[in-house]
Amino acid sequence: MTIEQNAHPENTVEIEIWSDVACPWCYIGKHRFLSALAEFDGRDRVNVVWRSYQLDPDAPVGTRRSELQFLMESKGISAPQVRQMFGHVAGLGAGDGLKFDFDTAIAANTFDAHRLIHLAGESRDALMDALFRAHFSDGVAIDDRAELVKIASRVGLDADTVREWLESDAGADAVRADLNAARQLGVSGVPFFVANRRVAVSGAQPQEVFLQFLNQAIEAPVS
């Protein structure tokens, strides 16, 4: 990634990040990106917008299948292969201080979780972290609305407001708009980071790569 020097102070950057709270790479990528942003000199000129994405939009709600069982069935791979994948991801996550307990992880449809993220406002970042922990560390079914109310309450959202939101169709159009924008941009995997719809990077990149991306984002002219 080539980096130009001498950022233009007048430039501001909107960085949109498509991710799914049932995606381990999104959990790692979020942590690494925000760590890079905290070190970035131009962070005050960066506006981060989280966008919804679903790796498996057709996943049934409430089946409470284990992630192991789900991947064996959906990908047609053996239990040892899945466990090898789990071990690789868990090892990388541990290097970033993130806990993955795939033995307890429950496969889930994340549409309601994404609707809830759109409600969260300034608590969005904290809510996303809580959802990642619930799914990957605590064995919580994040497509269970009662569990979503508990998770949201722990990060400061009002339980009654959350319950009413989830029992309605609120936020569904916003989630669908994010998913449609991803299709239009050709996003085929997450996490996916794009600055002003001009400069992009995908995957749970090392922190130094995200710093390069942020520098490129500041330098890229806005049309």
Side-chain angles (χ1 to χ4, degrees):
M1 187 180 291
T2 302
I3 302 300
E4 299 289 341
Q5 302 298 318
N6 303 318
H8 303 293
E10 69 274 14
N11 283 358
T12 58
V13 176
E14 179 176 271
I15 295 182
E16 299 167 277
I17 307 172
W18 274 266
S19 69
D20 192 0
V21 288
C23 164
W25 300 112
C26 295
Y27 192 12
I28 296 171
K30 178 179 184 292
H31 175 81
R32 291 178 177 178
F33 173 78
L34 292 181
S35 295
L37 182 61
E39 293 186 5
F40 182 56
D41 288 340
R43 58 187 174 275
D44 292 340
R45 289 151 49 202
V46 175
N47 179 42
V48 176
V49 180
W50 295 99
R51 300 292 189 193
S52 306
Y53 192 90
Q54 285 193 282
L55 289 173
D56 188 5
D58 298 319
V61 175
T63 60
R64 293 184 174 269
R65 286 180 298 172
S66 69
E67 282 283 6
L68 175 66
Q69 180 184 6
F70 171 73
L71 288 173
M72 288 175 60
E73 293 173 358
S74 63
K75 305 296 184 183
I77 53 182
S78 67
Q81 288 174 307
V82 176
R83 291 192 183 280
Q84 184 178 24
M85 292 166 48
F86 286 167
H88 175 64
V89 174
L92 288 175
D96 286 285
L98 304 176
K99 178 185 176 183
F100 288 86
D101 184 358
F102 286 106
D103 287 336
T104 63
I106 299 171
N109 185 299
T110 56
F111 193 84
D112 276 347
H114 285 300
R115 289 203 296 125
L116 185 55
I117 290 168
H118 277 281
L119 171 67
E122 293 182 358
S123 298
R124 180 172 292 190
D125 184 62
L127 176 61
M128 290 179 66
D129 280 344
L131 288 165
F132 278 127
R133 286 194 302 270
H135 181 67
F136 288 112
S137 302
D138 301 334
V140 174
I142 59 171
D143 56 3
D144 182 319
R145 291 181 177 177
E147 295 291 353
L148 290 175
V149 172
K150 293 177 187 177
I151 294 166
S153 298
R154 286 197 290 268
V155 300
L157 276 68
D158 177 73
D160 290 336
T161 300
V162 170
R163 193 174 294 108
E164 182 179 352
W165 181 274
L166 291 173
E167 289 174 355
S168 72
D169 197 38
D173 286 345
V175 175
R176 294 187 188 106
D178 287 348
L179 298 176
N180 184 57
R183 286 190 290 269
Q184 291 179 343
L185 288 171
V187 178
S188 58
V190 286
F192 183 81
F193 306 76
V194 59
N196 289 342
R197 300 282 173 105
R198 297 180 64 83
V199 180
V201 66
S202 63
Q205 299 291 341
Q207 187 172 326
E208 58 268 23
V209 174
F210 282 128
L211 283 168
Q212 292 176 339
F213 165 68
L214 288 163
N215 275 294
Q216 278 195 323
I218 289 290
E219 290 292 336
V222 180
S223 56

